[in-house]
Amino acid sequence: MECLFCKIVDGEIPSKKVYEDDLIFAFCDINPMAPVHILIIPKVHTASSMDEITPENSKYVARIFEKIPVIAKDAGLTGGYRVIANCGPDADQTVQHLHFHLLGGKKLSVQLG
């Protein structure tokens, strides 16, 4: 499989890791949309997008959301943050590996697209 995020988890592509455990991996986005922009992904390619979350793979999503507050605090996001998941081409999902964007570090706009 030629998945960019799988290659990052495997160490084939370098990244700035901010968190890792047995199920998930978090790293800084190379094209940040905010002062803090962290991507949080399952370490295994269990789903290409949110459309493929099932009872069998939902443990990865649960772990991600359990750890988001820890990752946000470690990143200094004391004033709040935003979590986004793009799903499909109309949402501009560019990597087909389930992932969540953690954004913060400034007052974020409420304006969408």
Side-chain angles (χ1 to χ4, degrees):
M1 179 178 282
E2 291 296 317
C3 174
L4 175 69
F5 288 171
C6 289
K7 289 181 178 186
I8 288 172
V9 169
D10 290 342
E12 295 176 40
I13 296 174
S15 67
K16 183 178 176 190
K17 178 175 69 172
V18 296
Y19 179 85
E20 180 178 16
D21 66 25
D22 59 325
L23 295 180
I24 68 171
F25 190 84
F27 57 98
C28 294
D29 194 297
I30 61 168
N31 186 26
M33 301 297 178
V36 175
H37 187 166
I38 297 169
L39 297 170
I40 310 166
I41 66 173
K43 288 177 77 171
V44 296
H45 197 110
T46 61
S48 293
S49 72
M50 289 188 5
D51 284 342
E52 296 178 6
I53 296 171
T54 66
E56 293 76 32
N57 65 21
S58 64
K59 69 181 179 183
Y60 297 98
V61 177
R63 177 67 63 85
I64 287 169
F65 277 85
E66 289 165 5
K67 295 300 179 178
I68 283 173
V70 173
I71 295 166
K73 182 179 178 186
D74 289 348
L77 300 179
T78 58
Y81 54 87
R82 184 174 294 163
V83 178
I84 299 172
N86 299 324
C87 186
D90 285 351
D92 200 30
Q93 181 182 2
T94 57
V95 179
Q96 305 308 306
H97 183 122
L98 179 64
H99 61 284
F100 296 87
H101 299 258
L102 173 63
L103 300 152
K106 70 174 187 176
K107 176 80 171 159
L108 298 173
S109 170
V110 296
Q111 185 93 14
L112 296 177

